[in-house]
Amino acid sequence: MRIDANNWHTWEAFGERDYHLGRFDKDENEVSVDQIDRQRVRAVVVRHLADGRTLFVQHIDPEKGERLIAFARVYIKYGGGQLRVVVVGWQRTVGGRNVKVLNYILPDGTVHSSSSDELAVIDVIGLRAVNQPDA
Amino acid sequence: MAATVQIFSFHEATPSGADVTDGTIRFKQADDDTQDANAPIPIPAAGYEYSYLKQLQLKASTSPTGTIDNIKFFGDGSLDWAGCAIYAEVRASYIDPTTQVDTAHPSWVDNWENYVTGAPLSVAGSIDNPDTGYFGELVVQQLRVGDAAGVGVQAAEDVTFRYDET
């Protein structure tokens, strides 16, 4: 499997009653983060695909009303530059308002944590993206 | 694997897209993206000259495992081509570029520099597993050249598509 700026991470979700789901199933087919059981999940671990080291762990506390956010933000620019930023976090409703925390995880392990889902600094990094094998 | 997504550019009356992900597109007065000196946009003595329209769309050659949506388009906010300006918009349908030879697109305004990090151009559309193919609206661009424009091929500008994938 090629590891590059668009394919550099994996993830595992853990939860109640031995709940577990990973990015790849037993047949090595990729699983969408949409399939994470939002009722049972209690933590999502993001790891580097190349060496398995843990980059970030997002804990979810349903008793506080926290709901998982998980997706990837992908940048493609003319000239071939690509970058995949992994985003995990949580949201909850407080006094009728949606409160959320999003953690933008870059291939080098840097994490930008924000309440915004339109974080300009991540766009700047995406705009400067260039293809880097073994990112 | 995550979806493989490419940027396609379209030409001619019945368009067939060409993958320009690893290349560049060139504003010119011809309906192609060829990197040559043919059909340059002349610098007018007064008024403006216009390029043919450039129309871009994303294509998933492999499907996402979930969904791709929240598509955006932006540049660095600074067009470094003296005397020039670019119009950008999104469209649901394709326009035959040859119908607008040296003619300003009806909606033309100088807005390309407005679509920047933190304030990108929103592109409607999405694609779900197991689908492949083109998705999202077309991003249309047209260059306007004024009498103060610099002579020759201008330095390339960076522009970026962004989307969210699950």
Side-chain angles (χ1 to χ4, degrees), chain B residues 74-91:
Chain B
F74 61 91
D76 64 4
S78 176
L79 181 64
D80 298 324
W81 306 342
C84 297
I86 300 175
Y87 170 64
E89 69 168 17
V90 292
R91 284 184 57 86

Side-chain angles (χ1 to χ4, degrees), chain A residues 24-79:
Chain A
F24 300 100
D25 66 17
K26 60 181 174 56
D27 297 319
E28 292 299 306
N29 296 312
E30 187 168 6
V31 174
S32 170
V33 290
D34 287 343
Q35 297 178 41
I36 297 174
D37 187 332
R38 264 53 177 181
Q39 302 300 315
R40 295 172 67 186
V41 65
R42 295 295 179 270
V44 173
V45 180
V46 177
R47 303 186 199 282
H48 207 288
L49 192 57
D51 56 16
R53 66 190 147 96
T54 298
L55 298 174
F56 191 80
V57 182
Q58 177 64 62
H59 294 273
I60 301 296
D61 187 345
E63 293 187 2
K64 294 180 178 175
E66 294 174 0
R67 306 182 303 277
L68 176 68
I69 297 170
F71 62 91
R73 179 151 293 172
V74 182
Y75 295 87
I76 301 177
K77 73 173 188 179
Y78 299 153

Side-chain angles (χ1 to χ4, degrees), chain A residues 1 6-7 23 30-34 70-80 82 84 118 120 123-124 127, chain B residues 1-2 5 7 21-23 56 65-66 70 72 74-76 117-118 141 158-166:
Chain A
M1 177 186 298
N6 195 31
N7 183 43
R23 181 181 169 196
E30 187 168 6
V31 174
S32 170
V33 290
D34 287 343
F71 62 91
R73 179 151 293 172
V74 182
Y75 295 87
I76 301 177
K77 73 173 188 179
Y78 299 153
Q82 293 203 23
R84 178 171 295 260
E118 291 290 338
D123 284 351
V124 172
L127 185 65
Chain B
M1 294 298 299
V5 175
I7 303 168
T21 313
D22 293 327
L56 304 171
T65 53
N70 194 29
K72 308 288 185 181
F74 61 91
D76 64 4
T117 59
Q141 298 174 90
D158 285 338
V159 291
T160 299
F161 277 94
R162 187 193 94 187
Y163 58 82
D164 292 345
E165 181 177 1
T166 62

Side-chain angles (χ1 to χ4, degrees), chain A residues 3-4 16 20 28 64 68 76 78 81 83 103 107 119 131:
Chain A
I3 297 175
D4 56 30
E16 288 187 336
H20 176 260
E28 292 299 306
K64 294 180 178 175
L68 176 68
I76 301 177
Y78 299 153
L83 176 68
N103 300 287
L119 195 58
N131 282 340

Side-chain angles (χ1 to χ4, degrees), chain B residues 22-70:
Chain B
D22 293 327
T24 57
I25 59 171
R26 178 165 294 188
F27 289 106
K28 53 169 56 175
Q29 289 192 337
D31 188 23
D32 63 61
D33 288 320
T34 309
Q35 306 297 301
D36 59 24
N38 296 334
I41 304 167
I43 300 172
Y48 300 107
E49 292 272 345
Y50 292 86
S51 75
Y52 279 40
L53 297 178
K54 296 295 179 184
Q55 295 170 90
L56 304 171
Q57 191 175 34
L58 296 179
K59 180 181 183 181
S61 57
T62 64
S63 175
T65 53
T67 296
I68 291 176
D69 59 11
N70 194 29

